[in-house]
Amino acid sequence: MDSIFRKYNSLVVNSKLNDKAFSPMKKNITIFCTLLVLLVIGYFFIANQKKRMVTDNVKANLAMNDLEGPTRLSLPMEYKGMNLVAPINTLNKSTLEDLLKNNVNAVSIIPYAYVDMDAATVNYNNKRQWWGERTEGIITSAKMAHSHNMTVMLKPHLWVNHNFYTGNLNFDTEEQWQRWESQYEDYIMNFAKLAQQENIELFCFATELGNSVAKRPQYWKQLIAKIKKVYKGKLTYAANWDDYDKVPFWDELDYIGVDAYFPLSNEQNPSLKTVKNGWAKHLDKMRLVQKKFGKKVMFSEYGYRNTDFAAEAPWTENKNDINNEAQAIAYEALYQTMTKEPWFVGGFAWKWYADDYHKKPKNKVDYTPQDKPALAVIKKWYN
């Protein structure tokens, strides 16, 4: 019995020793198996993500492949322009060089003025304004653009307090109207003389002032006459897309100027065909206005934000889901449509930042085509 007990005790001891020896091995096997499972899961996750990316890219490429660019039926545009957002402190040569690399041959330079609706006043050349909005910056920017063989349009704009849209500008009394008109005339005549002095090729003397034009047409006609006495270049007015057909003085100007934010499609991500179809009714009206006055049409502004529903209401800024493809398609549809018209001379896309604003995260959604697929579309058509 004693020998049996000793043998049993020996087996137990050996078993414990074997368990101790095997314990690290079991731990290693468990870790290995866990890592293997994680690797397998990771592999399938990455593979699935790549598949989705490839699918998305294929869809995007299929849509972008429709953006064929100019054909033998496309007529050349005289003005392959950009509206330049005024630089804060100075205009760098690199800004103009980047524009030239993308086949831009014209820039619109904008001297802003501020309207106080309560006082019916117009204030400009304020020291608090950005350098590029004041006379000093306008002159330097125009000279630099000319040194790069670019055409310049000088295009005064108004900021109106109380978030007031310029097209609805209105006053209650004749005294207020006359005060505002007198100060606006001083503002415009100052820059008309500057435009002549700097040999600026185009002068756009007002932007989206539909209500004023409708209510006070004689004021505008006498202002045009005064401008012509001091400025000998091409003259236009930037009418909004919804009232350019009501402007009474196109026959006195060189171009019918249109800020071309036409509604084209209410779809979130419309096809090129859909957006092109959206131009039909607008094109019919443009043809009638052009024929009536016998003047060529220039888009003083045009553009789209890189969002869903980009072509639904291009003048609005209430959509913020990024959709670069929708922006690019909207540009392509515009060019394919308008370059078939012999009276279309091109225009100025809205907009191009002279500074690096477009690189800030808060500006990922914006009108500018900088660093977006839409820029390739513009470059192709501006070639």
Side-chain angles (χ1 to χ4, degrees):
M1 178 69 71
D2 186 58
S3 63
I4 292 173
F5 178 79
R6 284 198 300 268
K7 184 179 285 189
Y8 171 78
N9 191 50
S10 175
L11 288 171
V12 170
V13 170
N14 288 338
S15 175
K16 288 181 179 179
L17 288 173
N18 287 339
D19 284 345
K20 288 180 179 179
F22 186 65
S23 181
M25 186 179 295
K26 288 197 296 184
K27 185 177 181 180
N28 289 338
I29 290 171
T30 302
I31 292 172
F32 174 78
C33 290
T34 303
L35 290 173
L36 183 62
V37 169
L38 290 173
L39 284 170
V40 170
I41 293 171
Y43 170 79
F44 282 106
F45 176 78
I46 293 170
N48 186 53
Q49 288 297 104
K50 286 183 176 180
K51 184 178 179 181
R52 287 178 61 187
M53 288 174 64
V54 169
T55 302
D56 290 343
N57 287 336
V58 167
K59 288 180 180 178
N61 288 334
L62 284 172
M64 297 298 284
N65 283 341
D66 290 336
L67 312 188
E68 60 188 31
T71 69
R72 61 183 180 82
L73 299 176
S74 305
L75 300 171
M77 291 178 280
E78 182 177 354
Y79 302 109
K80 305 168 185 178
M82 282 283 176
N83 280 280
L84 188 65
V85 178
I88 299 174
N89 296 309
T90 187
L91 179 60
N92 297 316
K93 286 183 179 180
S94 59
T95 298
L96 297 172
E97 289 166 357
D98 286 344
L99 288 167
L100 288 173
K101 287 175 185 176
N102 288 286
N103 301 322
V104 174
N105 72 356
V107 289
S108 172
I109 299 174
I110 302 171
Y112 274 98
Y114 296 85
V115 174
D116 184 333
M117 291 297 296
D118 303 314
T121 56
V122 180
N123 182 277
Y124 65 100
N125 270 339
N126 191 301
K127 289 183 179 180
R128 289 179 294 178
Q129 287 182 258
W130 289 353
W131 172 86
E133 297 175 351
R134 305 193 307 269
T135 295
E136 176 191 0
I138 296 295
I139 292 173
T140 301
S141 298
K143 288 183 183 296
M144 289 180 65
H146 282 152
S147 72
H148 285 75
N149 297 315
M150 301 178 83
T151 296
V152 176
M153 177 168 74
L154 192 58
K155 186 173 182 282
H157 277 217
L158 297 178
W159 284 112
V160 184
N161 62 349
H162 305 312
N163 292 318
F164 210 85
Y165 169 53
T166 56
N168 296 328
L169 186 129
N170 192 46
F171 298 102
D172 295 329
T173 68
E174 180 66 19
E175 180 187 0
Q176 288 175 312
W177 270 114
Q178 290 186 11
R179 185 187 312 129
W180 180 84
E181 288 171 345
S182 175
Q183 294 196 16
Y184 187 83
E185 182 174 309
D186 290 343
Y187 163 57
I188 290 304
M189 292 305 294
N190 173 73
F191 284 107
K193 293 171 185 175
L194 185 151
Q196 180 65 25
Q197 168 194 310
E198 297 302 322
N199 297 312
I200 290 174
E201 293 87 348
L202 289 162
F203 185 55
C204 180
F205 61 85
T207 298
E208 297 179 16
L209 287 168
N211 186 60
S212 175
V213 168
K215 285 190 170 183
R216 317 278 290 187
Q218 291 307 314
Y219 165 77
W220 291 101
K221 289 182 179 181
Q222 65 84 32
L223 179 58
I224 291 168
K226 288 180 179 178
I227 293 170
K228 286 183 174 181
K229 289 179 180 178
V230 300
Y231 176 71
K232 304 306 177 184
K234 302 286 187 183
L235 200 58
T236 192
Y237 161 65
N240 201 38
W241 66 272
D242 60 352
D243 63 20
Y244 71 93
D245 58 321
K246 301 178 181 66
V247 175
F249 46 69
W250 288 131
D251 55 343
E252 299 175 42
L253 307 181
D254 294 287
Y255 298 117
I256 295 171
V258 182
D259 283 1
Y261 301 108
F262 297 98
L264 303 171
S265 169
N266 59 7
E267 293 183 17
Q268 178 179 352
N269 198 29
S271 68
L272 177 61
K273 182 179 179 181
T274 297
V275 183
K276 287 174 68 176
N277 288 341
W279 274 100
K281 63 180 180 181
H282 304 301
L283 199 54
D284 288 343
K285 182 187 286 187
M286 256 186 285
R287 286 172 177 151
L288 290 173
V289 175
Q290 191 278 324
K291 185 177 181 180
K292 177 181 178 181
F293 292 99
K295 302 288 183 176
K296 293 189 175 182
V297 175
M298 178 184 71
F299 284 175
S300 37
E301 290 179 27
Y302 68 94
Y304 309 91
R305 296 169 78 239
N306 59 321
T307 66
D308 289 343
F309 304 97
E312 181 180 42
W315 65 93
T316 62
E317 300 182 36
N318 57 356
K319 302 284 195 305
N320 291 297
D321 292 322
I322 293 177
N323 190 334
N324 290 325
E325 182 183 327
Q327 182 188 40
I329 285 173
Y331 270 105
E332 178 75 15
L334 182 149
Y335 294 132
Q336 286 194 22
T337 300
M338 296 307 302
T339 57
K340 290 182 173 64
E341 304 299 325
W343 40 261
F344 180 65
V345 295
F348 297 78
W350 186 268
K351 55 190 175 176
W352 190 276
Y353 286 106
D355 300 309
D356 288 337
Y357 267 32
H358 67 286
K359 295 181 179 179
K360 295 183 177 181
K362 67 176 183 178
N363 293 325
K364 286 183 179 179
V365 174
D366 203 333
Y367 284 99
T368 181
Q370 289 163 280
D371 297 335
K372 297 170 189 170
L375 185 56
V377 175
I378 295 170
K379 181 178 181 179
K380 184 169 54 177
W381 281 93
Y382 276 9
N383 191 11

